[in-house]
């Protein structure tokens, strides 16, 4: 198979919580990404792949999710059900929200823009679990501009957090995306073979029809 073609009409991507046996491939992804950043004069503190592989569950929901294309780990994202860090107003903190704490992607899949794909998935996941907003706080101004201008995020303000690092506080309303199920399957539990469903019986994941492809067009 080539590109995003899959057998039996299955979605080309899979989102699922990590498993302990994912630790080696998570480690390779983190090394590849850090090397890619270093070649461009950038740095990032990589997490412990063993800790990522353990996963996190809060309020009964998995908060660490890995993105796969076939046997290839494309990336992962970590979430938390609060607006974390300084700079959010009392009203913003009181709103039901899901924060994107971190997103790591393999540079070999960069043309498919997997970080945008995972962000769409998070917006849908949040909407289906009664979180009204999704927050994120990138540290790089260039990345914040990309999220605002290309991905549709609203930049609320820029603030220094208690750790001394300046972050750009960004938000989007959660939204159900009716086309995402054709692009991403979601397995709810480690080791599960059942695609997760939302409370209304629909898929957890969906995406707009202009989805990614191998020639670099689309998200």
């Amino acid at each position: 198979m080539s590109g995003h073609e899959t057998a039996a009409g299955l979605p080309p991507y899979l989102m699922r919580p990590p498993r302990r046996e994912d630790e080696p491939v998570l480690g390779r992804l983190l090394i590849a990404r850090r090397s890619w950043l270093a070649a461009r004069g950038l740095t990032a503190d990589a997490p412990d792949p063993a800790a990522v592989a353990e996963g996190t569950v809060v309020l009964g929901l998995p908060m660490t999710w890995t993105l796969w294309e076939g046997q290839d780990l494309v990336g992962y994202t970590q979430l938390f059900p609060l607006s974390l860090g300084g700079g959010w107003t009392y009203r913003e903190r009181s709103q039901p929200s899901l924060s994107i704490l971190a997103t790591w992607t393999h540079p070999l899949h960069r043309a498919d823009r997997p970080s945008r794909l995972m962000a769409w998935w998070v917006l849908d996941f949040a909407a289906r679990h009664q979180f009204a907003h999704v927050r994120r706080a990138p540290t790089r101004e260039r990345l914040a501009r990309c999220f605002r201008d290309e991905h549709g995020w609203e930049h609320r303000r820029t603030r220094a957090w208690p750790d001394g690092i300046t972050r750009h506080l960004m938000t989007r309303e959660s939204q159900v995306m009716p086309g995402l199920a054709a692009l991403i399957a979601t397995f709810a539990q480690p080791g599960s073979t059942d695609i997760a469903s939302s409370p209304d019986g629909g898929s957890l994941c969906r995406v707009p029809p202009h989805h990614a492809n191998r020639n670099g067009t689309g998200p």
Side-chain angles (χ1 to χ4, degrees):
M1 293 182 292
S2 62
H4 295 304
E5 298 174 358
T6 58
L10 295 175
Y13 291 105
L14 166 70
M15 284 287 278
R16 66 162 172 80
R19 303 167 182 165
R20 289 182 179 177
E21 58 266 31
D22 295 333
E23 180 183 345
V25 70
L26 283 163
R28 290 192 292 271
L29 181 147
L30 293 168
I31 290 171
R33 187 65 181 184
R34 290 191 70 185
S35 298
W36 186 90
L37 290 169
R40 290 154 181 79
L42 303 171
T43 60
D45 293 329
D48 179 3
V52 177
E54 285 291 331
T56 307
V57 176
V58 181
L59 302 177
L61 291 174
M63 288 288 143
T64 304
W65 291 86
T66 55
L67 177 67
W68 299 79
E69 184 180 14
Q71 299 299 311
D72 296 332
L73 177 63
V74 177
Y76 77 89
T77 191
Q78 290 180 303
L79 313 173
F80 196 79
L82 286 174
S83 297
L84 291 179
W88 298 104
T89 66
Y90 175 81
R91 180 174 180 274
E92 289 167 340
R93 292 196 305 271
S94 68
Q95 295 169 334
S97 59
L98 195 62
S99 290
I100 300 177
L101 301 184
T103 298
W104 286 76
T105 60
H106 200 294
L108 290 179
H109 295 267
R110 185 168 177 264
D112 293 329
R113 303 184 183 180
S115 61
R116 176 187 279 190
L117 183 62
M118 285 189 282
W120 279 338
W121 183 91
V122 173
L123 292 170
D124 186 272
F125 179 83
R128 292 177 180 279
H129 289 87
Q130 290 73 55
F131 296 102
H133 303 272
V134 178
R135 320 283 198 198
R136 68 193 318 164
T139 59
R140 296 191 178 97
E141 184 177 356
R142 181 178 177 182
L143 192 58
R145 287 199 304 268
C146 175
F147 290 149
R148 182 194 63 196
D149 299 340
E150 298 183 26
H151 299 189
W153 290 74
E154 177 187 350
H155 180 257
R156 286 290 172 86
R157 62 194 66 88
T158 299
R159 292 287 187 274
W161 278 14
D163 60 9
I165 298 175
T166 297
R167 289 176 170 84
H168 306 277
L169 308 187
M170 313 193 76
T171 187
R172 273 193 67 168
E173 290 185 4
S174 63
Q175 62 184 104
V176 172
M177 296 186 176
L180 195 58
L183 190 59
I184 313 177
T186 302
F187 289 1
Q189 298 297 333
S192 171
T193 57
D194 296 322
I195 295 179
S197 297
S198 67
D200 63 4
S203 169
L204 282 174
C205 312
R206 307 191 272 174
V207 92
H210 50 287
H211 57 71
N213 54 56
R214 282 295 183 192
N215 64 17
T217 61

